[in-house]
Amino acid sequence: MKVVFAGTPEFAAVALRAIHEAGFTVPLVLTQPDRPAGRGMQLQASSVKQYALAHGMPVAQPLSLRTDSKDPERAEQARAAHAQLLALDYDVMVVAAYGLILPRSTLDIRPCINIHGSLLPRWRGAAPIHRAIEAGDVDAGVTIMEMEEGLDTGPMLLMEGLPIEATDTTGTLHDKVAALGARMIVEALHKMAAGGLVATPQPDVGVTYAAKITKEEARLDFALPADVLARKIRAFNPFPGANGVVDGVAVKIWHADAVDGSGAAGQVLQADAGGIVVACGGGALRLTELQKPGGKRLAAAEFLKGFALAGLRFS
């Protein structure tokens, strides 16, 4: 089978690597345009583009695939991409965290299947891994689905779950889900080639939406219960990084555990080598890894050498 691949971040690059190593021909890779990144804000190619170029795969980076865009440049690029796909000899398009909307005109050219990082219909949308951890779900997983114009509403082709460990952050769970998705998409393509891939409509019950993560919601409200805050800290690690303001400084909190304790919400109850214990709306949080603006991520004992927290309060 000949597979056009559309994806952008590392999650997608893991899948592209698996498809390539399984021996499928990839006549075209679609990925988002290079973006400024790093302290120097230099243009940086996506993880998918880097892999594709390293393995001799043709790459296209249209700003949009919507030929009806009101932006002339985007519309022109979309028309060029559409013409390229129409002229291309391929069997299926695989989409993984591409970041652009595929219009009906694209979906109608060839079958399009998507690697989605949740057990649909739970957590349709942009941030399923973050939201699963934040909500306290016990399982994550991957659904391989047919694409349609709705937001992750298409029929399901394959589904497999994996447990969310108590220590999982979005970073660690991302890697597990990406590896699972890569294995499953290769299985799906082999089954498709053999004519054995069966589509099942998504159920109408259990639908939830995983809204895109914003930096604003990473500011912790210590009036919330400690277990809720501990999940948020794990969910926002590595991006955007949960934080709390103490003594006028926004401190990022990378690791914390819910513990027993009581006091005014945000009050630092203990600050020593064992951790920084902060009272919450219910229970307390023991902060064990923190970071000042412009500084490094430090264990609590090291952090306290440069930032005395005893007696202070997180606002």
Side-chain angles (χ1 to χ4, degrees):
M1 292 183 69
K2 297 178 181 178
V3 181
V4 168
F5 188 86
T8 299
E10 181 61 23
F11 180 91
V14 174
L16 176 59
R17 183 181 304 114
I19 291 169
H20 176 243
E21 291 179 352
F24 292 99
T25 300
V26 183
L28 179 66
V29 171
L30 296 170
T31 190
Q32 288 211 43
D34 298 357
R35 306 291 189 196
R39 291 191 176 184
M41 296 302 288
Q42 298 294 315
L43 286 178
Q44 182 171 315
S46 71
S47 297
V48 163
K49 181 180 178 180
Q50 292 177 44
Y51 184 87
L53 293 181
H55 294 85
M57 301 174 188
V59 174
Q61 297 176 271
L63 289 167
S64 172
L65 292 175
R66 300 191 67 90
T67 57
D68 59 351
S69 173
K70 295 181 180 179
D71 182 310
E73 182 182 3
R74 289 174 180 269
E76 179 58 32
Q77 290 194 19
R79 285 191 288 270
H82 185 69
Q84 186 175 14
L85 289 171
L86 283 172
L88 196 64
D89 177 21
Y90 71 101
D91 300 294
V92 60
M93 179 185 289
V94 170
V95 182
Y98 182 26
L100 295 183
I101 295 173
L102 270 62
R104 172 52 58 190
S105 58
T106 300
L107 298 175
D108 284 344
I109 298 174
R110 296 285 190 282
C112 295
I113 59 177
N114 177 245
I115 308 169
H116 186 74
S118 81
L119 301 174
L120 291 171
R122 186 160 178 81
W123 302 129
R124 295 173 178 172
I129 297 173
H130 295 80
R131 300 304 181 188
I133 292 177
E134 184 184 20
D137 289 5
V138 297
D139 293 305
V142 169
T143 305
I144 308 296
M145 53 172 282
E146 291 182 1
M147 294 193 69
E148 56 185 33
E149 288 184 283
L151 178 63
D152 300 325
T153 57
M156 303 177 295
L157 302 170
L158 293 176
M159 179 184 289
E160 188 171 331
L162 55 82
I164 299 177
E165 305 295 339
T167 56
D168 268 328
T169 64
T170 288
T172 62
L173 186 58
H174 166 280
D175 292 349
K176 297 176 188 178
V177 172
L180 176 61
R183 176 175 63 78
M184 288 175 64
I185 193 61
V186 170
E187 178 185 350
L189 291 172
H190 282 305
K191 286 186 174 181
M192 178 178 283
L197 203 56
V198 179
T200 303
Q202 291 187 36
D204 295 327
V205 296
V207 175
T208 59
Y209 290 92
K212 184 178 179 180
I213 301 296
T214 66
K215 291 184 178 181
E216 289 74 21
E217 65 183 299
R219 178 66 49 84
L220 298 179
D221 177 3
F222 284 88
L224 294 172
D227 59 343
V228 172
L229 293 174
R231 293 199 304 267
K232 287 180 177 290
I233 291 167
R234 291 165 48 220
F236 299 151
N237 180 353
F239 176 84
N243 65 85
V245 176
V246 59
D247 201 25
V249 179
V251 175
K252 284 198 172 182
I253 302 167
W254 293 109
H255 287 288
D257 300 304
V259 296
D260 293 333
S262 61
Q267 186 69 43
V268 177
L269 304 177
Q270 175 186 325
D272 55 32
I276 299 156
V277 179
V278 183
C280 303
L285 275 180
R286 180 189 290 118
L287 316 182
T288 55
E289 186 178 11
L290 306 92
Q291 180 182 10
K292 290 192 297 185
K296 297 180 180 179
R297 294 169 60 154
L298 298 172
E302 291 298 312
F303 183 85
L304 288 170
K305 292 178 180 179
F307 199 139
L309 288 176
L312 297 180
R313 184 175 179 178
F314 282 84
S315 60

